[in-house]
Amino acid sequence: MYYIGIDVGGTNLVAGLVDESGHILNKVSSPVAKDMTARQFSSELVRLSRQLCEVGSIGFEQIEAVGIGLPGVVDNASGLFVQNPNMPFHDKNVPLRELFQQEWDVPVFLGNDANCAAVGEYWAGAAKGCDPAVMVTLGTGIGGGLIVGGKLFTGFANSGMEIGHMIIQPNGILCGCGGRGCWERYGSATALIQLTQLEMERDRSSKLWELVDGEPAKVQGRTPFQGARMGDEAAKRVLSNYLQGLSIGMINLVNILQPEIICLGGGVSNAEDDLLLDPLRDLVNRGSFDKTNHTRIEKASLGNDAGVVGAALLCNLV
């Protein structure tokens, strides 16, 4: 059996032909046109899907389902792309399944991109065989997905597991969602960059300045890890503060859900274990209610392919 998974980003569309084991057989991609309408978007998804079949010498009739991972709120039951803050078109409640099937009548499943990453890791990655399994993506914000009882959890209105917006600091830093003290303002890659820039202003002698050629705008998520590896005290303070904020949200997830595993994805997760995972595990284990049954915290193993694999196999978990 063959499946097609499409990972929709704000700048690129990546589609993969996937087998039932979660292996990607081939991939194709195309940029998101800045003036793309919703109908043109759907047509491009169909074109990429057909291109995959042609490249893989697979007949259209051999495709079991097409899954689409979208950066926003979706309603798979109704086939709607409900809300899409990062796409060129800003129509709400786009009937994406209907538009797709007008050009190719194949089963189509829709999922939030973070949920698709969770499905991918559960089916073929670091969370394989684990239940419940949580995926946490550390990027511009914090995304999350939960597999429980072998099914994807989305809540009654399809927007559950917006874990980046759990409040960890009452009346804290203002978030883009309008709330204050959201976890992503303390634990995302964006938060790590801002913490680094603030510490650089406090400590002009820090080696962090050398790493970015004296330009704070060049700070990246890996910058404080590089500084800490060099022994820079300012960089070590940045990581200490960051890990405190990151661990609070993780502790909440463990205490509420007690998952068997939490997979960490996103660029930040690529840091060396002794600077990220090891101290994070220690903070979470010490802060969790259950001191005997520790949730595993691991790096997601599929990398950028998690969204493609998860989208392709959505049909098995929704």
Side-chain angles (χ1 to χ4, degrees):
M1 292 189 289
Y2 300 101
Y3 306 84
I4 289 174
I6 308 174
D7 187 15
V8 175
T11 56
N12 287 292
L13 309 173
V14 180
L17 181 66
V18 178
D19 66 18
E20 58 189 354
S21 298
H23 296 127
I24 296 178
L25 305 179
N26 54 63
K27 287 194 293 186
V28 296
S29 64
S30 69
V32 175
K34 294 182 180 179
D35 58 351
M36 184 178 277
T37 65
R39 183 171 289 277
Q40 290 170 334
F41 169 67
S42 175
S43 292
E44 182 63 8
L45 299 185
V46 173
R47 187 191 71 79
L48 285 172
S49 298
R50 288 177 170 161
Q51 183 183 352
L52 275 173
C53 293
E54 292 164 2
V55 170
S57 299
I58 299 296
F60 293 166
E61 72 283 354
Q62 292 179 269
I63 301 300
E64 293 288 321
V66 174
I68 307 170
L70 297 153
V73 180
V74 304
D75 182 348
N76 181 62
S78 302
L80 300 177
F81 190 5
V82 177
Q83 193 172 337
N84 55 92
N86 299 314
M87 301 305 294
F89 56 92
H90 296 292
D91 318 41
K92 292 188 176 181
N93 296 313
V94 173
L96 187 56
R97 178 184 293 135
E98 179 184 341
L99 290 174
F100 192 104
Q101 291 177 334
Q102 284 175 3
E103 298 186 55
W104 183 10
D105 189 13
V106 64
V108 175
F109 294 80
L110 309 181
N112 168 270
D113 51 2
N115 284 335
C116 287
V119 171
E121 289 294 332
Y122 173 78
W123 197 270
K128 188 173 183 179
C130 298
D131 197 336
V134 171
M135 176 76 183
V136 175
T137 53
L138 306 175
T140 302
I142 294 181
L146 168 65
I147 309 296
V148 59
K151 294 294 181 181
L152 180 64
F153 173 85
T154 59
F156 84 97
N158 305 298
S159 58
M161 286 303 287
E162 284 291 343
I163 57 176
H165 299 289
M166 88 170 88
I167 306 300
I168 68 165
Q169 180 63 56
N171 301 312
I173 302 170
L174 181 65
C175 180
C177 73
R180 287 188 175 274
C182 292
W183 186 28
E184 68 178 41
R185 298 299 289 118
Y186 300 84
S188 64
T190 302
L192 178 57
I193 289 169
Q194 292 172 342
L195 282 170
T196 304
Q197 292 167 333
L198 285 171
E199 191 60 40
M200 287 170 63
E201 291 300 327
R202 294 190 186 102
D203 187 349
R204 290 281 174 169
S205 65
S206 169
K207 293 178 182 177
L208 291 168
W209 287 98
E210 299 172 22
L211 289 171
V212 297
D213 300 321
E215 298 181 44
K218 290 186 176 181
V219 171
Q220 298 178 309
R222 67 173 179 265
T223 304
F225 293 101
Q226 293 173 322
R229 184 62 71 208
M230 296 165 63
D232 184 72
E233 293 302 320
K236 291 179 182 179
R237 289 194 294 272
V238 169
L239 292 185
S240 177
N241 289 334
Y242 174 71
L243 285 165
Q244 286 293 333
L246 181 59
S247 68
I248 292 172
M250 299 279 283
I251 291 166
N252 288 339
L253 290 174
V254 170
N255 285 345
I256 295 168
L257 302 172
Q258 199 176 41
E260 186 173 349
I261 190 171
I262 297 177
C263 295
L264 280 186
V268 174
S269 69
N270 293 324
E272 297 92 337
D273 286 1
D274 65 314
L275 295 178
L276 179 70
L277 275 188
D278 292 345
L280 180 61
R281 286 169 177 147
D282 183 58
L283 287 168
V284 174
N285 289 344
R286 286 194 283 118
S288 299
F289 176 77
D290 190 334
K291 305 297 184 185
T292 57
N293 299 295
H294 293 313
T295 293
R296 288 168 49 206
I297 301 174
E298 305 287 349
K299 289 180 183 178
S301 63
L302 297 182
N304 292 332
D305 288 337
V308 170
V309 173
L313 298 167
L314 264 177
C315 58
N316 295 310
L317 276 82
V318 295

